[in-house]
Amino acid sequence: SQQGEEDPQALSIQEGENATMNCSYKTSINNLQWYRQNSGRGLVHLILIRSNEREKHSGRLRVTLDTSKKSSSLLITASRAADTASYFCATDGPASKLTFGTGTRLQVTL
Amino acid sequence: KAGVTQTPRYLIKTRGQQVTLSCSPISGHRSVSWYQQTPGQGLQFLFEYFSETQRNKGNFPGRFSGRQFSNSRSEMNVSTLELGDSALYLCASSTRARDSGNTIYFGEGSWLTVV
């Protein structure tokens, strides 16, 4: 079963705009990780944020985590056509098992 | 450093047959996990192996099994294939580190079609 929901399910923006995706989860976590998946391909790891962190940056990516609300957001700034993909959040608890959200499909148009 | 390698990338099987998928983790990673991805159910955890022992198991029938070898390479097997087993099977590896955050890396996946 899915850990939670991602919002929105689909997002269409123009190149240069920012894209924000939200993820909610249900149980306590050790870490939350964000992944990108291009159509038919594997998952590419983007960023990991630990449960005691509130914000993390990596290049054009900014991730926030609010454990009191059991939610996280991924912001991609200055989007490019190459950012077109599905984005998933995944949480892990005491074990290495990841529980995924439902994903956000991002379409970046020229 | 090579990433997670999965073979084969694509395969077609007939109902009732069995299939074996292979995964080579990132060098130095001793934890290997398997996931099934379908349009209807999304990404679902199958099982995790660490040091040749199954550490966690998802909610899948016994037809799904796996093993890990002493070099950390892993295989998963699905017996008596059903149409609903058609999916992208993803392998992931990690160090299972606790102190620095357990980053989990995925391979390109094996696309299984059951006809």
Side-chain angles (χ1 to χ4, degrees):
Chain A
S1 61
Q2 302 292 337
Q3 164 71 289
E5 298 293 321
E6 290 185 59
D7 170 54
Q9 289 189 349
L11 178 61
S12 183
I13 60 174
Q14 289 193 318
E15 208 173 40
E17 294 181 335
N18 295 342
T20 300
M21 292 159 251
N22 303 295
C23 162
S24 62
Y25 57 92
K26 297 175 182 173
T27 60
S28 61
I29 62 171
N30 288 336
N31 308 292
L32 186 143
Q33 309 191 47
W34 283 90
Y35 292 88
R36 183 185 76 233
Q37 185 177 38
N38 292 89
S39 181
R41 306 294 298 273
L43 297 171
V44 175
H45 185 267
L46 296 176
I47 198 163
L48 177 151
I49 187 165
R50 303 172 74 174
S51 60
N52 61 356
E53 297 176 314
R54 292 296 166 258
E55 188 171 312
K56 205 160 180 183
H57 297 254
S58 177
R60 294 184 295 114
L61 306 180
R62 173 180 170 253
V63 167
T64 62
L65 178 64
D66 187 336
T67 53
S68 67
K69 295 181 179 178
K70 291 187 169 60
S71 68
S72 174
S73 68
L74 170 67
L75 167 68
I76 304 174
T77 60
S79 295
R80 305 166 181 168
D83 294 328
T84 294
S86 291
Y87 292 80
F88 295 90
C89 70
T91 57
D92 64 10
S96 280
K97 167 188 169 182
L98 286 176
T99 306
F100 283 87
T102 50
T104 293
R105 292 188 308 278
L106 173 65
Q107 176 74 45
V108 181
T109 56
L110 295 170
Chain B
K1 198 169 179 179
V4 180
T5 305
Q6 292 187 245
T7 58
R9 286 279 286 126
Y10 304 92
L11 66 167
I12 301 174
K13 291 286 188 178
T14 305
R15 268 183 303 176
Q17 286 187 316
Q18 66 142 13
V19 66
T20 299
L21 308 177
S22 180
C23 173
S24 293
I26 292 171
S27 177
H29 287 192
R30 293 165 61 194
S31 170
V32 174
S33 303
W34 290 88
Y35 294 79
Q36 181 197 64
Q37 185 178 27
T38 61
Q41 297 298 316
L43 283 149
Q44 303 276 332
F45 172 80
L46 281 158
F47 29 66
E48 182 209 2
Y49 286 86
F50 182 80
S51 293
E52 301 178 65
T53 302
Q54 187 180 90
R55 301 300 175 123
N56 290 291
K57 190 177 191 306
N59 189 25
F60 279 82
R63 299 185 297 107
F64 292 81
S65 63
R67 59 178 176 168
Q68 187 180 33
F69 303 96
S70 58
N71 61 359
S72 294
R73 192 176 69 82
S74 175
E75 289 181 347
M76 68 162 282
N77 183 275
V78 188
S79 62
T80 319
L81 284 165
E82 300 176 0
L83 295 179
D85 297 332
S86 295
L88 177 64
Y89 289 89
L90 292 160
C91 173
S93 80
S94 75
T95 60
R96 230 178 190 248
R98 288 282 172 253
D99 55 346
S100 59
N102 188 29
T103 301
I104 299 174
Y105 299 93
F106 284 80
E108 285 290 335
S110 292
W111 276 103
L112 171 65
T113 301
V114 182
V115 298

